[in-house]
């Protein structure tokens, strides 16, 4: 693994030239070292390392010293928990659970696009998850039953619009764990983290108009319905589906935790 010190030494030797390092998508430790040393991420270079996609990082002489600021910080202590559910970052160890979850027809139907995932898509989703988190584009987490340590579902934050401060939450619960209030708890934990630890100003979520379960989760977590977007998402067999959109603002989080007493 490349270290921050080695990268700083490379940049020092380069004088007034640009220094670039190409890292594997699953080499999150290397990517962290690059960001520590002030190397900025520059997208994805397809098929660049042994035929696999890779992430280029570069440092120019005029760039500010590291570490490169992050839009999505690490979870405090590595997890979020309320004592009943625990959220931890998605990773390579979660491939089997992620694959099994995505064989459920309800999960497939509410995915974008609404299609089963190939084994390779599942592998990449899990092995690149930390890289996307470091990039500030998405934070995927597994929801665990705290008492047993069993994985119950997946929840993700997608930072779609950093310039306007708007991000979206999405989730799926394994059928065996539905109806216990776990996804409501997970959405609440994620929302608290978003408003306590990131610069996000608007947290949105969308559901299919018939998905009353998901709408209930959002309402119980303090979200408010704000829009009905016609033909917003790709549906099955080249159709389009409408999307009921919800929003949670920082003040809604506080109200959901401690509702205001009347008067
Ligand atoms: C939607 C989903 C995430 C809910 O997960 P969950 O862990 O069962 O949710 P919770 O137990 O926290 O349920 C919260 C509330 O929703 C209600 N609810 C859950 N599923 C429901 C359903 N299918 N129909 C009606 N209400 C439902 C629960 O009864 C509960 O309300 P209550 O406390 O007033 O009884 C889960 O059903 C799922 O993964 N579905 C398939 C994928 C999906 O729809 N993802 C969301 C895409 S927007």
């Amino acid at each position: 693994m490349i270290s921050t010190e080695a990268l700083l030494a490379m940049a020092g030797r380069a004088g007034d030239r640009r220094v670039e390092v190409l890292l594997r998508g699953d080499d999150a430790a290397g990517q962290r070292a690059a960001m520590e040393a002030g190397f900025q991420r520059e997208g994805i270079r397809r098929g660049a390392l042994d035929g696999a996609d890779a992430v280029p990082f570069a440092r120019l002489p005029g760039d500010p010293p590291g570490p490169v600021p992050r839009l999505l910080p690490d979870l405090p202590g590595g997890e979020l928990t309320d004592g009943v559910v625990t959220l931890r970052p998605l990773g390579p160890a979660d491939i089997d659970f992620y694959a099994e979850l995505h064989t459920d027809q309800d999960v497939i139907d509410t995915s974008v696009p609404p299609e089963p995932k190939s084994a390779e898509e599942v592998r990449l989703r899990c092995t690149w998850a930390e890289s996307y988190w470091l990039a500030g584009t998405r934070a995927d987490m597994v929801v665990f039953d705290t008492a047993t340590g069993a994985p119950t579902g997946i929840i993700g934050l997608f930072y779609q619009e950093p310039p306007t401060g708007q991000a979206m939450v999405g989730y799926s619960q394994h059928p065996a764990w539905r109806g216990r209030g776990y996804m409501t708890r997970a959405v609440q934990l994620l929302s608290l983290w978003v408003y306590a630890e990131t610069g996000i100003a608007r947290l949105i979520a969308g559901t299919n108009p018939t998905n009353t379960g998901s709408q209930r989760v959002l309402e119980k977590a303090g979200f408010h319905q704000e829009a009905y977007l016609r033909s917003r998402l790709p549906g099955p067999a080249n159709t389009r589906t409408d999307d009921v959109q919800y929003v949670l603002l920082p003040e809604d989080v506080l109200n959901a935790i401690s509702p205001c007493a009347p008067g």
Side-chain angles (χ1 to χ4, degrees), residues 22 44-56:
L22 200 53
I44 291 174
R45 196 162 304 161
R46 293 181 305 143
L49 278 180
D50 301 327
D53 294 354
V55 187

Side-chain angles (χ1 to χ4, degrees), residues 188 192 220-222 224 248-261:
Q188 287 170 326
L192 277 170
K220 289 192 77 176
H224 294 278
L248 183 87
L249 299 176
E251 55 266 37
D252 301 326
V253 179
L254 295 177
N255 289 339
I257 299 168
S258 53
C260 296

Side-chain angles (χ1 to χ4, degrees), residues 110 171 173 178-181 183-184 206 211 213-214 216-217 220:
T110 52
Y171 43 77
Q173 184 78 300
R178 288 179 193 159
R180 304 181 193 212
M183 198 47 80
T184 305
N211 195 344
S214 185
R216 187 86 187 107
V217 166
K220 289 192 77 176

Side-chain angles (χ1 to χ4, degrees), residues 101 103-111 172-173 175 178 211:
L101 180 66
T103 60
D104 176 68
Q105 196 58 47
D106 290 334
V107 173
I108 294 170
D109 289 346
T110 52
S111 297
S172 296
Q173 184 78 300
R178 288 179 193 159
N211 195 344

Side-chain angles (χ1 to χ4, degrees), residues 73-88:
D74 292 324
L75 300 181
E79 62 180 33
L80 302 173
T81 187
D82 64 358
V84 176
V85 298
T86 301
L87 276 49
R88 295 199 194 95

Side-chain angles (χ1 to χ4, degrees):
M1 189 204 89
I2 197 149
S3 68
T4 302
E5 293 69 29
L7 286 156
L8 284 169
M10 273 170 64
R13 282 195 300 273
D16 61 358
R17 283 177 298 129
R18 168 190 159 91
V19 186
E20 181 177 302
V21 58
L22 200 53
L23 296 170
R24 291 169 56 103
D26 60 6
D27 181 7
Q31 294 175 36
R32 284 178 184 274
M35 293 172 78
E36 275 296 312
F39 283 62
Q40 295 183 23
R41 187 184 179 107
E42 295 187 331
I44 291 174
R45 196 162 304 161
R46 293 181 305 143
L49 278 180
D50 301 327
D53 294 354
V55 187
F57 284 84
R59 179 157 173 79
L60 273 60
D63 281 347
V68 173
R70 287 174 54 187
L71 292 177
L72 298 175
D74 292 324
L75 300 181
E79 62 180 33
L80 302 173
T81 187
D82 64 358
V84 176
V85 298
T86 301
L87 276 49
R88 295 199 194 95
L90 178 75
D94 306 308
I95 289 177
D96 289 348
F97 174 69
Y98 195 96
E100 189 192 327
L101 180 66
H102 286 81
T103 60
D104 176 68
Q105 196 58 47
D106 290 334
V107 173
I108 294 170
D109 289 346
T110 52
S111 297
V112 180
E115 294 162 6
K117 290 198 178 356
S118 69
E120 181 61 2
E121 282 175 297
V122 170
R123 189 187 68 78
L124 288 173
R125 167 69 60 231
C126 296
T127 55
W128 279 65
E130 189 171 347
S131 179
Y132 287 120
W133 195 313
L134 291 170
T137 52
R138 57 188 294 165
D140 288 299
M141 303 171 209
V142 179
V143 182
F144 292 92
D145 172 45
T146 307
T148 61
T152 76
I154 299 282
I155 187 165
L157 176 77
F158 313 98
Y159 203 173
Q160 319 153 297
E161 261 191 50
T164 68
Q166 178 167 286
M168 184 178 79
V169 61
Y171 43 77
S172 296
Q173 184 78 300
H174 191 285
W177 291 92
R178 288 179 193 159
R180 304 181 193 212
Y182 279 18
M183 198 47 80
T184 305
R185 289 174 177 275
V187 172
Q188 287 170 326
L189 282 169
L190 181 112
S191 308
L192 277 170
W193 173 72
V194 161
Y195 285 128
E197 304 272 341
T198 78
I200 292 167
R202 269 189 125 247
L203 185 59
I204 63 164
T207 80
N208 189 298
T210 59
N211 195 344
T212 46
S214 185
Q215 291 168 15
R216 187 86 187 107
V217 166
L218 294 171
E219 282 159 7
K220 289 192 77 176
F223 282 71
H224 294 278
Q225 191 175 316
E226 67 168 356
Y228 188 97
L229 307 181
R230 291 186 303 146
S231 199
R232 170 71 180 88
L233 295 169
N238 288 327
T239 59
R240 301 284 300 177
T241 56
D242 299 346
D243 192 47
V244 185
Q245 202 143 89
Y246 287 78
V247 67
L248 183 87
L249 299 176
E251 55 266 37
D252 301 326
V253 179
L254 295 177
N255 289 339
I257 299 168
S258 53
C260 296

